[in-house]
Amino acid sequence: MNRLSTLGALIAGAILLAAFYGVAFGGRDAGIDIEINDDEGVRHVVSGDRGSFALKKDGLDLEASWRGDYDLTEGGDDLASLEHKLDITRKQAEREEQVVFERDGDDVESIYYLDGEKQDENPETAAAKKALLIAFLEASGAKAEDRVAILLREGGVKAVLERIDAMYSDHARLRYITELTDQTDLTNAETSDLLKSLKNIEGDHDLRVALDALLQNETVDAAEMPLFLETASRIESDYDLRRLIERVSENELNDDALTLAIELMKRLESDHDLRRASEALLGQDKISEAAAARLLDTIGDRIESDHDLRLILGDAAPFLARGGDAARAWVGAFNALDSDHDQRLTLEEAAGVRGLSVETRLALIAASENIESDHDRRLALEAYSDLLEGDEALEAAYKKSADGIGSESDRERALEAANLDN
């Protein structure tokens, strides 16, 4: 087992003591990020004004430790000020480099070591120190706000995306993506390029937060939404995928984008997350009848919990007034309910929708025949007793369902509510 994996066990107690991750990384860097495997990993630990960082990946071993905060120079490749000390070591291809920054009065002193030997000050050594500092900053995401601002000033969005593509850590990529979308307005082409760069992010949480940052700070239009949702399809966690669908739903989606979002929703396993995602998509102001029908069909097929299905059908009840495929899909989803209690409550809520067509009312009254409980079927029918309006087909459907009630008392009460003979 490598050194980082062993450290993973040893630092467990330290993590409990590390409350904030802000001294060395600035206020927006608050937090702790740990990714550890047998062969590679990333570790961040901060306690008080001290912290450490370690990354091991693809033959690179990069470590840093510090005490106190520091500020970068205008060019972002050196330290302008330092409270105490910053020590960075990089081992790669049998070569070990180290730079030690220490406060010297109001200035910062730095010493560069190569394979353990102190090197004289010269242009080559100065360049090596700067390169090692940047390697640490971009591996850890430290001072991302400053670094992104500098990259934008010197090379534009393209320069930032190139650095994001070259990074080793999801945490660092996420910080640069967040800063990029916060500090500048991306063109459609730049948005597409950023989405393509997210292929390197492996963690569900980090990918969701990166996509969320894009949605919060940029306009993802119809042209970019398919690529956005395709990227989101890599998220496996129900929680993160549901949260992202909720965020996506805050934008106006056309039918193609809604279809993709529904396909994403099908990946969810949890009934709770399916319901929450469904509620968000059904909240679209301009959802078409066809899209609503597809969504309701998916809801009926995928949600197994009667409670969650009843809640979403209650929210979707206004679609019954549209008639057509949307109403058909709603009734189809209703037929997936097993609980008499939930069936009754759902039909009662549907009865309160204004503007139901005769065809839809017929389908709802017929659906009450699925209710086996005499009490619940009677109450469900009574909710429609004022909606018959003397229509012979509605009265016949109502009477047919009432005749299936075994309890004479409940049957008579249901028929009496509609002024129908027993």
Side-chain angles (χ1 to χ4, degrees):
M1 183 176 291
N2 68 42
R3 182 156 46 91
L4 279 180
S5 295
T6 304
L7 281 172
L10 295 176
I11 65 175
I15 296 171
L16 296 175
L17 298 175
F20 297 100
Y21 176 22
V23 175
F25 288 76
R28 299 184 65 177
D29 295 280
I32 298 173
D33 184 70
I34 298 174
E35 307 166 21
I36 294 174
N37 300 313
D38 286 341
D39 300 320
E40 58 186 38
V42 179
R43 169 176 56 85
H44 293 157
V45 178
V46 174
S47 180
D49 68 344
R50 299 175 183 272
S52 65
F53 168 83
L55 177 148
K56 186 171 183 178
K57 188 168 186 178
D58 299 336
L60 169 66
D61 192 345
L62 181 65
E63 297 185 8
S65 61
W66 58 87
R67 186 161 67 93
D69 199 4
Y70 52 87
D71 294 310
L72 302 180
T73 58
E74 185 176 350
D77 58 0
D78 205 348
L79 298 189
S81 66
L82 175 66
E83 289 184 2
H84 295 289
K85 183 179 180 179
L86 170 62
D87 187 335
I88 305 168
T89 302
R90 175 170 61 186
K91 299 175 184 177
Q92 191 171 28
E94 298 182 356
R95 174 186 173 94
E96 179 176 332
E97 299 174 88
Q98 181 183 17
V99 61
V100 179
F101 297 93
E102 290 188 287
R103 180 173 177 173
D104 182 15
D106 292 333
D107 298 323
V108 179
E109 180 185 65
S110 60
I111 303 173
Y112 177 72
Y113 299 87
L114 180 61
D115 294 328
E117 295 185 6
K118 180 180 177 180
Q119 303 297 300
D120 294 333
E121 291 296 325
N122 55 54
E124 183 178 338
T125 298
K129 287 191 284 189
K130 291 180 178 181
L132 195 49
L133 174 62
I134 291 175
F136 160 64
L137 294 174
E138 293 189 347
S140 64
K143 303 297 180 182
E145 182 177 2
D146 297 336
R147 287 289 301 157
V148 168
I150 292 165
L151 289 168
L152 285 172
R153 184 174 68 242
E154 295 181 349
V157 173
K158 181 180 179 181
V160 182
L161 292 178
E162 286 175 352
R163 299 316 308 149
I164 290 172
D165 285 340
M167 288 176 175
Y168 287 93
S169 162
D170 283 356
H171 173 75
R173 290 190 190 98
L174 176 57
R175 291 193 48 72
Y176 274 60
I177 290 165
T178 301
E179 288 298 336
L180 173 62
T181 57
D182 187 48
Q183 293 186 31
T184 189
D185 292 326
L186 302 179
T187 65
N188 289 348
E190 289 168 344
T191 298
S192 294
D193 288 341
L194 175 56
L195 285 168
K196 292 172 184 175
S197 75
L198 300 186
K199 67 181 182 297
N200 293 320
I201 295 184
E202 299 176 355
D204 286 344
H205 171 78
D206 289 329
L207 180 55
R208 191 258 297 176
V209 174
L211 291 169
D212 196 6
L214 186 59
L215 285 173
Q216 288 188 60
N217 296 299
E218 306 295 334
T219 299
V220 180
D221 62 21
E224 281 78 50
M225 190 56 73
L227 179 57
F228 181 97
L229 294 171
E230 179 185 341
T231 304
S233 69
R234 293 176 41 231
I235 297 176
E236 297 181 357
S237 156
D238 275 9
Y239 173 78
D240 287 303
L241 185 54
R242 185 261 295 175
R243 287 285 302 275
L244 186 64
I245 291 172
E246 289 176 326
R247 176 66 75 177
V248 167
S249 300
E250 294 175 6
N251 297 327
E252 184 176 324
L253 305 178
N254 61 23
D255 264 18
D256 289 339
L258 264 171
T259 297
L260 289 169
I262 292 169
E263 289 303 310
L264 274 185
M265 193 185 79
K266 289 180 180 178
R267 297 167 60 90
L268 297 171
E269 298 290 339
S270 156
D271 286 337
H272 172 76
D273 289 311
L274 277 164
R275 172 173 63 82
R276 293 284 298 275
S278 302
E279 289 169 344
L281 293 173
L282 285 168
Q284 287 281 304
D285 290 335
K286 298 180 180 179
I287 186 170
S288 69
E289 179 183 327
R294 284 196 298 273
L295 183 51
L296 287 164
D297 283 337
T298 301
I299 289 167
D301 288 340
R302 298 283 298 160
I303 297 181
E304 298 180 358
S305 159
D306 281 354
H307 174 74
D308 286 303
L309 183 53
R310 169 174 65 82
L311 291 177
I312 190 62
L313 286 175
D315 285 341
F319 286 98
L320 288 165
R322 295 192 183 189
D325 287 341
R328 172 203 54 74
W330 191 99
V331 174
F334 169 85
N335 288 332
L337 288 170
D338 291 321
S339 158
D340 291 335
H341 175 74
D342 288 304
Q343 288 173 327
R344 187 255 295 177
L345 291 177
T346 304
L347 286 179
E348 286 178 336
E349 191 154 5
V353 176
R354 294 184 177 182
L356 296 176
S357 68
V358 170
E359 181 182 6
T360 298
R361 279 178 278 168
L362 277 171
L364 292 171
I365 292 171
S368 69
E369 294 185 43
N370 293 330
I371 302 176
E372 296 182 0
S373 159
D374 290 343
H375 173 75
D376 286 306
R377 187 187 295 196
R378 187 257 299 174
L379 291 176
L381 283 173
E382 287 178 349
Y384 291 85
S385 61
D386 293 334
L387 301 179
L388 304 183
E389 298 176 346
D391 185 281
E392 291 183 1
L394 290 174
E395 289 181 348
Y398 187 101
K399 191 172 187 304
K400 180 173 181 292
S401 181
D403 286 344
I405 297 176
S407 163
E408 183 176 353
S409 172
D410 282 312
R411 183 173 62 255
E412 289 180 350
R413 291 177 66 181
L415 292 170
E416 185 177 305
N419 293 317
L420 296 175
D421 295 331
N422 190 349

